[in-house]
Amino acid sequence: MSREFNIDYVFSFIPKMLSYLHITLFIVASSLVLGLIIGLLVALPRMYNIPFLKRVSQVYVSFFRGTPILIQLFLVYYGLPELLKLVDINSSRWDVLWFAVATYALNSGAFISEIIRSGVEAVDRGQIEAAQSVGMSGYQTFTRIIMPQALAVVIPIFSNLVIGNLKDTSLAFTIGAMEMTGKSQTLGSATQHFVETYIALSLIYLVISLILQKLFRVLENTLLRHEHRDEVQKEPEKRKSFVVRYLRSPRLSKGGKGI
Amino acid sequence: MSLDFGFIYTAFLGLFSALPNTLMITVVSVLAGLVIGMITALARIYKVPVLSQVSHGYVTFIRGTPMLMHLLLIYFSLPLLIDAGAKHFGWPLQSKDVPYMVFALISFSITSGAYMSEVVRSGIQSVNKGQIEAAYAVGMTTWQVLRRIVFPQAFVVSLPNLTNSVIGMLHGSTLAFTVSVTEIQAQAEILASTNWKYLEVYIAAALLFWGLTVLIERISGLVEKKINVFNGGRAS
């Protein structure tokens, strides 16, 4: 640790870590896809007020939002094999990566279910009634009226979730998954240049977050292009009102996630 | 599945000894974060020349990188700086004299500052411009406007976000185990490896965190109700 700081190491470490980028991105992508499925399944009982399942999904969401992801990682890592043993599946030879994916998927599922719920609730009821009064079917109402508006409202929150997931993957190394942070640990201990390792790693995370942010900004603008076409000049005003809208729904934001 | 339920309870009690450290990390980082956040947010809102660019860079960097990176960067680079300073300027301080907890607190405060900055900024910007102009019109000074008009309303609006940040820091405190600070996560690891009962210990730790989180949410809900009295009791 007492070796001199040498900036050259930062540049030589970056390509080495980038060779593990695909694993990090794989965790993010697979947890999002699985999380979307889980989130939808969990959101439905609460939106349609199904008696018992509603409670179950409430507890699920509360638990995954109320505990640190690090604890969840260890719970899944030690708990899932025990559960699988009950149905005679031996998971001892599985790659730890799958346990990481399972944790992040369960975790995102809880947040995504809240996002889906809030998005649908953000759509004005009067519009749905209006759509039905002009003779649209339930499916048409959903795809033409509810979904476009709900999507536009939730994109910023979804963007936060994706970036949060990206940052959370840095914890997967604690159960031994070999992604970018895991690689940085081995690089650091092999060369004893820890500061350089973590600077390189931070830069990689920063660039990916910024790219994701830009992509979502573009997506949001595309989805909101129908709104206030004549008020484009009043950009600051519009942003402020959005912030207010965002803040007025206290359960929207991500809670203890993505830090 | 052989789950030792009795041990979950034992572990739960065992984890309590690490609770003060967890709470200290949370409270210190939230309070220090609020101060940093307030300064950076005001610098950006009032467009203070150099300070606002620096603040922007700081917030972007911190929000774009994992909290673990901040912790490890501080943990490995600060001792180098301290020792270099001790060597060149004859500081009486050596990096080995600094407790690990201090590194964790510094790093988490820096993390929390960036998130708080966004909370404060969105809160302040949600206050109606007309009210601020009206306050100036009746002759209030900028400080009076901030204190009497802007901050109270901004606080009400940003309470949910503030709660989320507190919970975020509570959950983030688990990372301190990587720099050998004995908070709940580290204590759980110790208990688990000495008793060879991993699952039970982590269930207990999860329950403890879950309880703390629900408690914070309840308190925030009560406060929200109270401060919204002027608003007819509705959430703003």
Side-chain angles (χ1 to χ4, degrees):
Chain A
M1 185 160 104
S2 55
R3 293 209 194 164
E4 289 284 308
F5 178 81
N6 187 345
I7 192 86
D8 293 338
Y9 277 98
V10 175
F11 298 112
S12 69
F13 283 155
I14 287 179
K16 286 180 187 158
M17 286 171 193
L18 280 179
S19 63
Y20 285 80
L21 175 65
H22 65 283
I23 300 181
T24 297
L25 293 182
F26 172 74
I27 300 178
V28 175
S30 52
S31 67
L32 281 177
V33 173
L34 294 172
L36 271 172
I37 300 171
I38 299 174
L40 195 62
L41 289 178
V42 172
L44 287 175
R46 288 181 74 179
M47 288 196 293
Y48 288 100
N49 237 331
I50 301 167
F52 173 69
L53 288 178
K54 196 179 95 182
R55 284 258 161 253
V56 175
S57 82
Q58 262 171 350
V59 171
Y60 167 81
V61 171
S62 167
F63 179 81
F64 278 94
R65 287 165 51 106
T67 52
I69 184 120
L70 193 62
I71 303 271
Q72 291 166 17
L73 263 175
F74 282 101
L75 265 184
V76 170
Y77 183 64
Y78 291 112
L80 194 59
E82 295 287 326
L83 283 178
L84 288 171
K85 253 185 233 164
L86 291 179
V87 285
D88 275 330
I89 297 175
N90 182 6
S91 60
S92 57
R93 282 170 180 277
W94 288 12
D95 193 336
V96 279
L97 188 65
W98 297 113
F99 292 100
V101 169
T103 313
Y104 293 121
L106 286 170
N107 183 281
S108 329
F111 286 92
I112 290 175
S113 85
E114 291 293 276
I115 294 179
I116 293 175
R117 238 158 46 87
S118 59
V120 170
E121 274 168 22
V123 179
D124 192 359
R125 271 223 69 86
Q127 292 197 16
I128 298 169
E129 282 160 15
Q132 280 162 352
S133 76
V134 297
M136 284 194 194
S137 68
Y139 178 75
Q140 281 175 328
T141 311
F142 186 76
T143 53
R144 296 190 194 170
I145 310 293
I146 301 181
M147 204 157 74
Q149 297 190 64
L151 268 181
V153 173
V154 301
I155 281 293
I157 319 165
F158 191 69
S159 146
N160 273 344
L161 178 95
V162 175
I163 293 167
N165 267 4
L166 169 77
K167 291 187 282 177
D168 282 341
T169 58
S170 66
L171 298 177
F173 85 95
T174 51
I175 58 167
M178 199 56 173
E179 37 70 65
M180 283 197 305
T181 311
K183 178 64 187 171
S184 79
Q185 298 282 349
T186 53
L187 276 177
S189 30
T191 59
Q192 291 296 307
H193 282 272
F194 285 101
V195 181
E196 292 89 332
T197 331
Y198 296 126
I199 291 178
L201 191 54
S202 304
L203 288 177
I204 297 176
Y205 278 116
L206 181 63
V207 170
I208 306 172
S209 313
L210 290 179
I211 293 174
L212 285 174
Q213 242 173 47
K214 273 265 143 54
L215 287 178
F216 279 110
R217 185 77 42 81
V218 171
L219 191 62
E220 191 194 339
N221 285 338
T222 320
L223 287 169
L224 282 175
R225 68 190 180 283
H226 61 278
E227 245 180 50
H228 315 295
R229 220 183 262 279
D230 46 333
E231 283 178 36
V232 174
Q233 274 75 31
K234 287 195 208 159
E235 186 60 24
E237 213 33 56
K238 201 176 123 194
R239 284 223 74 83
K240 192 192 87 183
S241 70
F242 185 80
V243 169
V244 175
R245 218 180 339 143
Y246 175 63
L247 285 167
R248 282 186 178 170
S249 35
R251 300 284 164 238
L252 283 190
S253 28
K254 279 179 45 115
K257 206 171 140 58
I259 281 215
Chain B
M1 188 157 68
S2 51
L3 204 56
D4 185 348
F5 284 99
F7 193 73
I8 295 180
Y9 180 68
T10 319
F12 194 79
L13 296 181
L15 290 174
F16 264 97
S17 66
L19 192 57
N21 271 351
T22 293
L23 292 181
M24 176 158 112
I25 294 174
T26 312
V27 171
V28 171
S29 60
V30 164
L31 291 181
L34 265 177
V35 175
I36 301 173
M38 202 94 86
I39 297 169
T40 50
L42 286 176
R44 285 176 74 183
I45 289 172
Y46 285 105
K47 299 202 171 66
V48 183
V50 182
L51 209 55
S52 75
Q53 280 88 352
V54 173
S55 304
H56 184 69
Y58 158 73
V59 173
T60 309
F61 177 79
I62 297 293
R63 283 166 48 99
T65 49
M67 190 171 169
L68 182 67
M69 294 304 108
H70 317 151
L71 181 63
L72 292 172
L73 271 176
I74 292 286
Y75 177 69
F76 283 108
S77 65
L78 214 52
L80 293 183
L81 291 178
I82 292 174
D83 287 341
K87 213 165 154 190
H88 287 286
F89 309 109
W91 291 348
L93 190 70
Q94 291 271 303
S95 64
K96 61 177 191 309
D97 305 329
V98 183
Y100 292 140
M101 181 60 128
V102 174
F103 295 125
L105 290 179
I106 292 175
S107 142
F108 291 165
S109 301
I110 292 174
T111 309
S112 144
Y115 288 90
M116 287 302 178
S117 165
E118 293 296 279
V119 173
V120 173
R121 210 161 70 99
S122 56
I124 289 179
Q125 281 176 344
S126 73
V127 177
N128 194 325
K129 267 231 127 53
Q131 290 197 18
I132 299 172
E133 281 161 15
Y136 280 125
V138 296
M140 285 194 192
T141 63
T142 302
W143 177 240
Q144 280 175 329
V145 173
L146 280 177
R147 201 165 48 92
R148 298 193 191 163
I149 311 291
V150 178
F151 285 153
Q153 297 190 66
F155 177 71
V156 178
V157 176
S158 45
L159 190 66
N161 272 5
L162 198 63
T163 312
N164 280 332
S165 291
V166 174
I167 293 170
M169 292 320 292
L170 172 74
H171 291 179
S173 72
T174 51
L175 299 181
F177 89 99
T178 52
V179 297
S180 326
V181 173
T182 328
E183 40 64 66
I184 293 174
Q185 166 73 22
Q187 179 75 5
E189 228 159 75
I190 296 166
L191 281 175
S193 50
T194 48
N195 296 287
W196 212 248
K197 286 187 163 87
Y198 288 89
L199 186 54
E200 287 86 344
V201 172
Y202 286 110
I203 291 175
L207 289 176
L208 182 54
F209 273 109
W210 195 6
L212 285 173
T213 307
V214 171
L215 191 70
I216 294 175
E217 275 174 352
R218 285 278 149 81
I219 293 173
S220 144
L222 285 180
V223 174
E224 204 173 332
K225 226 178 203 163
K226 202 154 187 89
I227 57 181
N228 271 316
V229 167
F230 73 89
N231 221 355
R234 283 177 293 117
S236 66

